[in-house]
Amino acid sequence: MRRKRIRNWENRLREEGYKITTPRKSILSVFEQLGGHPNAREVFNNLSSQSPDIGLTTIYRTIELCVRLGILKKYDFGDGHSRYEIANEKTDHHHHIICEKCSKIIEYRDFLDEETTLIKKIQNKLEKKYDFNIKQHVLDFYGLCKECSDNK
Amino acid sequence: MRRKRIRNWENRLREEGYKITTPRKSILSVFEQLGGHPNAREVFNNLSSQSPDIGLTTIYRTIELCVRLGILKKYDFGDGHSRYEIANEKTDHHHHIICEKCSKIIEYRDFLDEETTLIKKIQNKLEKKYDFNIKQHVLDFYGLCKECSDNK
DNA sequence: CCTTTAAATGAAAATGATTATCATTACCAT
DNA sequence: ATGGTAATGATAATCATTTTCATTTAAAGG
Ligand SMILES: [Mn+2]
Ligand SMILES: [Mn+2]
Ligand SMILES: [Zn+2]
Ligand SMILES: [Zn+2]
């Protein structure tokens, strides 16, 4: 049985000539274990117990590098800080539902078939009409989660 | 012939008990005249010649107020500062195409019929499934504009 | 394993956007 | 016209992110 080789972030860094360092290992492992969409400070806090010696600066630098190499995906949900998540087959393209009150984020990838088809169709139309080379799209829904709706 | 009364921002402010002040007039008029999606500093710069006495603080405050009252719409295109535009019948709901290199923004509202229909359908599905009260959505496309594509 | 060396790191300062303070000013209802 | 109150502006404070620079470390050879 043939299986697609999983290229993890270490290989990806090596490919590009970057070093595999202790801070980088720790930071990426936080992303792997934490899940969700942590921001830089949240990564820092989660690291403080195990590796209190890693500076926030390094976290920012590592994150920026990983985003550049496609290891992490960067999101901006409008709550004042960038959020990130590991980019892989599982977390790949998906959309979000964001609570405007408590910032809870739900992600979904069970797109309707029509959904995927139509987005492509729109994208093609726009590329021609506006002479753009479209690389990606964001479709996020904003509103109130159950709890925040109830609490008036 | 009956016509829908156009409620401009002055009426809107009055309704809510806010004062119609000189700075507010100037700031809103910049939005009216400038068009596009200016950020706070751009408004400030455009104001500096006519009204050098208006502080950046007041611009932020006026913008925040107007966003809260629905007079302005706030956007975050990921270039580090919030951008705004007047919300009215003409500028109402639309989507964006953003150049990741030069931050050029194209907005379009000539949605395909299917587009509008499908978004509603998706929204209904999500509201039930995730128990969310969805108020709005963002569908933005990111890529490279003609110029930025050409300049390799 | 030991050296070498450029890349990586961390502390601290800098930056840039946005917000808070607070004394002063200006709407606007009376 | 005038007073009460909201609005304003200068300034300082926050907060996320970036830059600087001296020090440390990964990894390539020997
Ligand atoms: Mn996500
Ligand atoms: Mn727009
Ligand atoms: Zn909520
Ligand atoms: Zn461009």
Side-chain angles (χ1 to χ4, degrees):
Chain A
M1 167 181 150
R2 189 137 51 91
R3 74 179 58 192
K4 196 171 155 195
R5 171 182 300 273
I6 294 178
R7 163 173 294 140
N8 59 22
W9 61 267
E10 290 205 12
N11 291 331
R12 189 81 187 79
L13 285 187
R14 260 191 270 273
E15 272 176 10
E16 304 285 338
Y18 294 100
K19 295 178 179 171
I20 311 302
T21 66
T22 307
R24 282 173 182 170
K25 281 180 195 165
S26 305
I27 292 167
L28 266 296
S29 103
V30 166
F31 275 105
E32 280 163 347
Q33 292 166 24
L34 211 56
H37 309 76
N39 60 34
R41 179 155 298 277
E42 284 166 358
V43 173
F44 180 75
N45 291 340
N46 268 273
L47 229 39
S48 62
S49 46
Q50 315 302 319
S51 323
D53 43 333
I54 297 180
L56 188 51
T57 305
T58 298
I59 293 175
Y60 273 107
R61 271 189 296 232
T62 299
I63 285 175
E64 191 238 38
L65 174 66
C66 289
V67 168
R68 189 150 46 77
L69 298 190
I71 294 167
L72 292 176
K73 286 170 86 74
K74 176 177 185 172
Y75 295 102
D76 195 331
F77 297 126
D79 63 342
H81 36 246
S82 298
R83 297 184 164 276
Y84 311 85
E85 75 181 335
I86 291 210
N88 62 35
E89 312 74 41
K90 286 182 186 168
T91 66
D92 236 8
H93 189 65
H94 57 262
H95 297 163
H96 297 102
I97 311 170
I98 300 127
C99 176
E100 292 174 319
K101 189 105 161 277
C102 71
S103 291
K104 180 192 302 176
I105 299 167
I106 290 175
E107 52 185 48
Y108 72 97
R109 44 180 71 68
D110 56 331
F111 307 123
L112 305 176
D113 285 339
E114 315 154 65
E115 192 168 349
T116 311
T117 309
L118 184 66
I119 292 269
K120 279 185 192 137
K121 188 169 166 186
I122 297 172
Q123 176 169 332
N124 285 333
K125 187 190 80 172
L126 295 175
E127 290 197 310
K128 280 177 201 144
K129 179 159 185 183
Y130 297 107
D131 223 342
F132 245 77
N133 172 209
I134 295 177
K135 301 259 188 65
Q136 50 174 314
H137 66 264
V138 169
L139 175 52
D140 288 341
F141 291 86
Y142 290 80
L144 292 178
C145 72
K146 182 75 161 49
E147 292 69 41
C148 292
S149 281
D150 291 347
N151 309 344
K152 198 165 27 89
Chain B
M1 164 182 155
R2 191 134 53 88
R3 73 179 61 192
K4 196 171 156 193
R5 172 181 300 276
I6 294 178
R7 164 173 294 141
N8 59 21
W9 60 267
E10 290 205 13
N11 290 332
R12 190 78 186 80
L13 284 187
R14 261 192 268 272
E15 273 177 10
E16 304 285 337
Y18 293 100
K19 295 178 179 171
I20 311 302
T21 67
T22 308
R24 283 173 182 170
K25 281 180 194 164
S26 306
I27 292 167
L28 266 296
S29 103
V30 167
F31 276 104
E32 279 162 349
Q33 293 165 25
L34 210 56
H37 309 75
N39 58 37
R41 181 157 296 278
E42 283 166 0
V43 172
F44 180 75
N45 292 340
N46 268 273
L47 230 39
S48 62
S49 47
Q50 315 302 321
S51 324
D53 43 332
I54 297 180
L56 187 52
T57 304
T58 298
I59 294 175
Y60 273 107
R61 270 190 296 234
T62 299
I63 286 177
E64 191 239 36
L65 174 65
C66 290
V67 168
R68 190 149 46 76
L69 298 189
I71 294 167
L72 292 176
K73 286 170 86 75
K74 176 177 185 174
Y75 296 102
D76 194 332
F77 297 126
D79 63 341
H81 35 247
S82 298
R83 297 182 166 277
Y84 312 85
E85 75 181 334
I86 291 208
N88 63 33
E89 312 74 41
K90 285 181 187 170
T91 66
D92 237 8
H93 188 64
H94 57 262
H95 297 165
H96 297 101
I97 312 170
I98 301 127
C99 177
E100 293 174 319
K101 189 109 164 273
C102 71
S103 290
K104 181 191 302 175
I105 298 167
I106 289 176
E107 52 186 45
Y108 72 97
R109 45 180 71 68
D110 56 329
F111 307 123
L112 304 176
D113 286 339
E114 314 154 68
E115 192 168 349
T116 310
T117 308
L118 184 66
I119 294 268
K120 278 183 193 141
K121 189 169 166 186
I122 297 172
Q123 176 169 330
N124 286 334
K125 188 190 80 172
L126 295 175
E127 290 197 309
K128 279 177 202 143
K129 178 160 185 182
Y130 297 106
D131 221 342
F132 246 78
N133 172 211
I134 294 177
K135 299 259 188 65
Q136 51 175 314
H137 67 265
V138 169
L139 174 53
D140 289 342
F141 292 86
Y142 290 80
L144 292 177
C145 72
K146 183 76 160 50
E147 293 67 41
C148 292
S149 281
D150 291 349
N151 308 343
K152 199 167 29 82

